[in-house]
Structures are given as C-alpha cells and as structure tokens.
Amino acid sequence: MRLHLQRRSMHMDAAGEVLLERRGCAGVITLNRPKFLNALNLNMIRHIYPQLKNWEQDPETFLIIIKGAGGKAFCSGGDIRVISEAGRANQKIAQDFFREEYRLNNAIGSCQKPYVALIHGITMGGGVGVSVHGQFRVATEKSIFAMPETAIGLFPDVGGGYFLPRLQGKLGYFLALTGFRLKGRDVYAAGIATHFVDSEKLGMLEEDLIALKSPSKENIADVLEAYHTKSKIDQDKSFILEEHMDKINSCFSANTVEQIIENLQQDGSSFALEQLKVINKMSPTSLKITLRQLMEGSSKTLQEVLIMEYRLSQACMGGHDFHEGVRAVLIDKDQSPKWKPANLKEVTEEDLNSYFKSLASNDLKL
C-alpha cells in the first residue's frame, strides 16, 4: 500500500476544483466541479498550466490525461457568469481569464507529450479548448459537443477560429454560427474526437494507458485504436449531418452572414429553415464576428488565432451583447436577449473592424 501511495502523488487545491495526480506513466488532470458541470474558472487554469508545463519536461511522465468528474460533463465551458460580472465591473479578471485560458489552450496545442482528453459528457466552449487542441480526444455515447457562443453574444473562442474552419467542408462554419449540438459517435464522425469508446470501458481504457511502460506515441495510439475498434454502441449509425452536408457546404460557403441567410431561404428545405430560425435568434454582432473569425482563422496558426481571439474577447467585454446574453441565458433565464444592434444591417464594417483591432502592448503574448 505504501508503494502505491508514493506512486500516486496528488495535489488538492482550492477546495479541490482540479485534481492533479501522477499515476503510473501518466499525469492525470481531473476537472472537479461536478455541481457546475466542471466549468473552468481562473483558479483551475492557474493550477493546470504550470503542472502541464512540469509534466511536459518530466522524463518520467509519458502522457497526460484530462477528464471530468461526476460522469455528466467533461467541461461545460468557461465560468462566464463570473467573467461577465467582472467585465461589467471593469475588473482585471476579465482580462486575466481570457489571457490565461488562451495561453493554456496554446500550451495544449504545442504540448510535446501525448495528450489524451476523455470528453465524456457535456463538452462545450472552454471544455473544447482544453481538449480539441490535444493529440487524442476520446468521445463516448454520452458526449455532447457544442460551441454555443453566438447565443450569448460571444464567439466560438478558445481556438475555435483554428479548428472549426479545418473540419470537413463548411461543417465548422455551420457549427459556429448555429451552436448545433453533436452527440455520441457524431462527435467522432465530425472530426472533433479522434476515437470513440463505449463509456462503460472508459475506466479500463484509463487504467490500460496508465499501466503502459515508457510508452511511445504509437503505443498510446495502439491502445486507443484497440478500444475504438471494439466499441459497439451506434457502430453502424451514419453521421447525423451526412444527408445535409451538401446543403451545409453550399449555404455556408458565402462570405457574409446576410448571404448565408439568403442561401438558407433560397434552399427552403425544412433543415435549412430550421437553421434559419436558430441563426435569427443569435446576436447579430456575434454572427458577423464569428464568420470573419473563421474565415481569417482558416489560414492562421493556432497562436495567431488565439491572439486574434483575445482582441475579440476584450472588445466583447466592453460591448453590450455578451452581458445581455449572459443575463438572458444564465441569470434571469428568460431566453429573450435584447441585442444591440438588433439586426445585421446595423452591424457596420467599421464596427466589425474595431473588434479585430490590435491592442498594442495589451495584445496576448504567447
């Protein structure tokens, strides 16, 4: 028993909101706020980042595993209610949160050790940021993926401008503008996850990874592949958006949000009209920012995207729609935000350019 305890050194901190353990050959990060669906706050980010950097340098650590506690969520996103309150009060936390969160996203994207995210349950926004940039992402039948930010006056950040335009066809543009939810095996089919494993096998998979002796990246990939191949749930199910991909590719290839809306109207199918209804509820400013963010991000590196997104985040903190979106969706829960400007026409090119402006010495440094 004593041996086991020595091998398993654990830091508990800040009421244990995140657990950092060395187990076998792996560093294991557990997001541990199940009551809040493991939403990410600044304290958690400040614990994960240095530990990730340490493990990356440690010759005894061969892989990093990140997972969520409680079984319901991997991570439902950043703790945005707190950020909105801080942003409205003009507190520095709104700057610090986005800066340190994006720095962590970048550290995961450039991590030299294999990084395995077990994205079981709800994985949205900030939860996507601490998983999708890693080398391996394992979905289960309980996975629910979304980037729902346009509904709260934000934009799909945490590197969304990098990974979304790189999904097949115009799928990423569709997911970004509508906040469409992908579930289970569809998270794998879309390219968000690299593997799919039945959730009842997730514990065994983790134990098998931890038990590897000085594994190479290939050894880790082999274990994941073996579990993926053996997974049974929804094995023969086709991708939920498969039949709509031609429509998505043609409608969402336009260069303006107005033209995308026009395309959906012209298409007239029940799928297109359903998406139209969704898009019309979103913040007009967010829609325009998001389309431009993805178009620009499609040819940028992850680092360049995060620098761009930091500028956008700070402009949103100083704007109206983010705080109004958080009020309507998370605080009063009336689900009827009053966006300003209220329609796309009123969001001018000039407004848009101001969101993308350099912050000079306040720009994100990576």
Side-chain angles (χ1 to χ4, degrees), residues 146-167:
M147 294 299 279
E149 289 82 2
T150 54
I152 52 159
L154 206 55
F155 57 95
D157 65 336
V158 297
Y162 180 80
F163 81 85
L164 288 164
R166 286 166 173 78
L167 298 177

Side-chain angles (χ1 to χ4, degrees), residues 187-200:
V187 179
Y188 166 73
I192 305 293
T194 56
H195 297 80
F196 178 89
V197 172
D198 299 343
S199 64
E200 61 172 32

Side-chain angles (χ1 to χ4, degrees), residues 197-249:
V197 172
D198 299 343
S199 64
E200 61 172 32
K201 298 279 195 283
L202 211 51
M204 277 168 59
L205 167 63
E206 192 185 334
E207 292 307 317
D208 282 354
L209 288 171
I210 283 162
L212 291 168
K213 298 281 175 267
S214 312
S216 66
K217 189 179 83 182
E218 289 67 33
N219 299 148
I220 292 160
D222 288 346
V223 172
L224 293 169
E225 200 52 49
Y227 273 84
H228 174 79
T229 308
K230 286 199 289 250
S231 65
K232 297 274 189 290
I233 296 169
D234 293 334
Q235 215 169 6
D236 305 317
K237 187 175 158 281
S238 62
F239 181 38
I240 191 168
L241 293 170
E242 195 57 59
E243 56 179 312
H244 306 301
M245 276 314 296
D246 290 345
K247 281 185 174 50
I248 287 170
N249 292 341

Side-chain angles (χ1 to χ4, degrees), residues 41-107:
N41 61 26
L42 190 52
N43 166 63
M44 293 159 80
I45 292 164
R46 284 180 172 169
H47 281 92
I48 296 167
Y49 182 86
Q51 187 60 72
L52 181 67
K53 288 296 192 190
N54 286 344
W55 282 334
E56 195 177 7
Q57 298 304 319
D58 173 26
E60 295 299 299
T61 303
F62 291 87
L63 81 147
I64 293 155
I65 296 172
I66 185 167
K67 60 181 183 169
K72 200 164 177 213
F74 165 67
C75 172
S76 60
D79 202 341
I80 48 178
R81 193 173 162 168
V82 170
I83 300 152
S84 172
E85 285 162 6
R88 280 212 308 269
N90 211 357
Q91 287 173 339
K92 202 165 146 300
I93 185 172
Q95 291 170 26
D96 293 346
F97 178 84
F98 288 103
R99 188 172 54 241
E100 296 182 42
E101 182 185 29
Y102 295 177
R103 209 175 270 166
L104 175 59
N105 301 149
N106 181 57

Side-chain angles (χ1 to χ4, degrees), residues 53 56 103 105-113 133 302-303:
K53 288 296 192 190
E56 195 177 7
R103 209 175 270 166
N105 301 149
N106 181 57
I108 292 165
S110 60
C111 186
Q112 297 304 301
K113 298 274 166 85
H133 305 297
L302 176 59
Q303 292 194 334

